[in-house]
Amino acid sequence: MDLLKKLEDCKKRFDELSARVMDGDLVKDVEKYKDVMREHGHLSELMELYGEYKKMLDGIESDTELITNEDDHDLKEMAREELKSLEEQKPLLEEKIKLKLIPPDPLDEKNIIVEIRNGVGGDEASLFVADLYEMYARFAEMKGWKYEIMNSTPTEVGGYKEISFSLSGKFVYGTLRWEGGVHRVQRVPATEAQGRIHTSTVTVAVLPEASETDIVIKPEDVRIDVMRAGGPGGQCVNTTDSAVRLTHIPTGLVVIQQDEKSQIKNKAKAFRVLRARLFDLEESKKRAERDAARKSMVGSGDRSERIRTYNFPQNRVTDHRINLTLYKLDQFMLGYMDEMLDALNVYAKEEQLKADVSELAHD
């Protein structure tokens, strides 16, 4: 990759967008305005790195020339020291630029709905569902995001069979997009008299929230049933029955919402979840077509894929996709997840960069 050529092309594009931003007519098209501002913001960060890189290259050229042509011994030594420092920094800055050259995914800015369900392990798995929910809630609070429980099925031991909640804020999906998959926990359950370590699993799904313009749901494609909250129920004319079940006939997707006392609120939440699931289904198809030759950057993205192990006796959390182990599980469960999430996102970008370079080489 000719880095300077690529940066010069980005500079031209940045100048074009800077001129468009000043056009008063642009704001009349809300979607186009958002797209332009998103790209302009991304390129402005890249331009800062470009300026830093040009300054570094000029410094290397200047120091090299001084070492070659200067007679003064002290000046030569100063130039050699500076040149050594610049040459050590250069590959680090180049790597930073290469990662920044990858344009952000428009989905990264979307809010999300997270669904956590117990897997293998009975009561212990349901308790870990609650633990993961608390972990994500604490992380959201640190980020200044808003969260709202959409639906939950509590268990008698204080856990959840399943829980879904929304997260809204800045760069939510971009931060948590790699959390989907099987999370495995290894610990001694409170009910274990022998002190034996049990292994349980839960599944996490991360769905980007779709707007009504992203996904249009035809009324005739949805069957709406109302029922008593907490029971299996069926169609019912009793107006006190507040739980709502939506069945999307073309796909067979079923959404049940019963946390709210109001049937209207449950129905609104159910449609949000259904829209997110349909959007995820559509995006998954696009990804499958786009990545036919190369799977998703961080694992397969399949919800049956084991992605992480939480080992409480060793205070260890391991992400199996990037082979990263942190011996601070206690802090991780309190919401201090940035180190792991940053590593996942950097790895994903590096893999995408390799794939893009490889594709360019074959074109």
Side-chain angles (χ1 to χ4, degrees):
M1 178 190 288
D2 187 339
L3 201 57
L4 267 180
K5 172 69 168 61
K6 189 74 176 171
L7 286 168
E8 284 161 9
D9 290 343
C10 288
K11 175 71 166 62
K12 289 176 187 174
R13 177 64 177 162
F14 178 70
D15 292 340
E16 287 173 15
L17 291 173
S18 295
R20 288 191 70 186
V21 167
M22 303 303 291
D23 183 356
D25 290 335
L26 181 63
V27 294
K28 294 175 184 176
D29 187 334
V30 178
E31 289 303 314
K32 180 62 71 177
Y33 177 74
K34 282 164 64 178
D35 289 343
V36 169
M37 291 306 295
R38 185 188 299 115
E39 188 181 357
H40 185 268
H42 171 69
L43 288 176
S44 66
E45 294 174 12
L46 191 56
M47 288 305 99
E48 288 182 22
L49 293 173
Y50 180 34
E52 195 179 329
Y53 189 55
K54 281 177 69 178
K55 187 177 177 183
M56 178 177 284
L57 293 179
D58 289 344
I60 288 173
E61 185 181 345
S62 174
D63 287 336
T64 303
E65 190 177 316
L66 201 141
I67 291 166
T68 305
N69 301 323
E70 181 60 53
D71 294 327
D72 188 296
H73 177 74
D74 290 341
L75 280 176
K76 271 189 164 185
E77 281 305 306
M78 284 174 63
R80 281 194 184 96
E81 285 180 21
E82 187 178 85
L83 180 62
K84 182 183 177 185
S85 174
L86 289 173
E87 287 180 336
E88 285 174 355
Q89 294 171 44
K90 184 170 174 266
L92 300 175
L93 182 57
E94 286 177 339
E95 189 63 27
K96 196 173 178 181
I97 290 169
K98 286 175 185 176
L99 293 177
K100 184 59 75 173
L101 277 168
I102 299 169
D105 188 328
L107 293 182
D108 287 347
E109 294 292 340
K110 284 194 173 290
N111 298 327
I112 61 175
I113 291 174
V114 181
E115 299 178 336
I116 312 176
R117 293 184 173 85
N118 66 356
V120 177
D123 286 346
E124 172 62 8
S126 79
L127 289 170
F128 195 58
V129 170
D131 290 340
L132 283 188
Y133 164 69
E134 290 293 336
M135 178 183 80
Y136 290 125
R138 290 185 184 113
F139 181 72
E141 286 173 355
M142 291 177 189
K143 292 290 182 185
W145 298 343
K146 293 180 181 177
Y147 62 91
E148 175 190 13
I149 292 179
M150 305 292 287
N151 196 47
S152 63
T153 307
T155 61
E156 292 179 359
V157 296
Y160 294 102
K161 183 179 179 182
E162 60 182 330
I163 185 169
S164 62
F165 55 97
S166 65
L167 290 173
S168 56
K170 187 177 180 182
F171 207 68
V172 178
Y173 184 65
T175 304
L176 292 175
R177 65 185 304 164
W178 307 116
E179 288 300 288
V182 175
H183 295 239
R184 182 176 69 168
V185 58
Q186 296 173 323
R187 63 184 176 187
V188 179
T191 54
E192 171 57 59
Q194 304 295 324
R196 290 174 299 187
I197 295 172
H198 286 224
T199 298
S200 306
T201 62
V202 305
T203 60
V204 174
V206 179
L207 312 175
E209 271 217 73
S211 67
E212 291 185 20
T213 55
D214 290 326
I215 292 289
V216 177
I217 301 174
K218 297 176 183 176
E220 63 269 24
D221 285 345
V222 181
R223 186 175 74 244
I224 304 173
D225 298 321
V226 295
M227 63 196 84
R228 290 188 185 279
Q235 197 161 9
C236 181
V237 293
N238 188 335
T239 55
T240 61
D241 293 344
S242 59
V244 173
R245 178 175 62 207
L246 303 182
T247 304
H248 188 249
I249 297 163
T251 61
L253 287 174
V254 176
V255 176
I256 298 173
Q257 291 291 320
Q258 59 180 20
D259 267 33
E260 299 287 348
K261 292 180 181 178
S262 160
Q263 185 186 122
I264 294 172
K265 288 182 179 179
N266 278 326
K267 184 179 175 183
K269 281 187 173 183
F271 269 101
R272 279 177 65 190
V273 174
L274 178 60
R275 197 171 284 112
R277 288 187 188 172
L278 289 170
F279 187 68
D280 183 59
L281 204 61
E282 207 169 271
E283 286 299 314
S284 296
K285 288 177 184 174
K286 289 179 187 175
R287 279 196 300 271
E289 291 168 9
R290 190 171 60 238
D291 301 332
R294 50 182 170 97
K295 291 290 185 183
S296 182
M297 297 303 123
V298 180
S300 69
D302 194 305
R303 286 175 202 168
S304 64
E305 179 191 16
R306 189 191 73 187
I307 64 165
R308 192 174 296 149
T309 295
Y310 303 73
N311 186 297
F312 280 77
Q314 297 177 16
N315 197 32
R316 166 174 64 83
V317 56
T318 299
D319 196 287
H320 304 290
R321 298 161 296 180
I322 56 174
N323 295 319
L324 175 63
T325 294
L326 305 175
Y327 287 92
K328 37 187 159 182
L329 177 57
D330 52 347
Q331 293 298 301
F332 196 83
M333 297 304 295
L334 290 174
Y336 295 95
M337 303 169 63
D338 282 311
E339 187 176 352
M340 181 74 78
L341 298 178
D342 289 347
L344 281 163
N345 281 303
V346 167
Y347 179 82
K349 284 193 171 186
E350 287 174 344
E351 290 299 297
Q352 186 177 335
L353 186 65
K354 288 177 192 173
D356 290 347
V357 169
S358 176
E359 284 173 12
L360 283 171
H362 286 91
D363 284 346

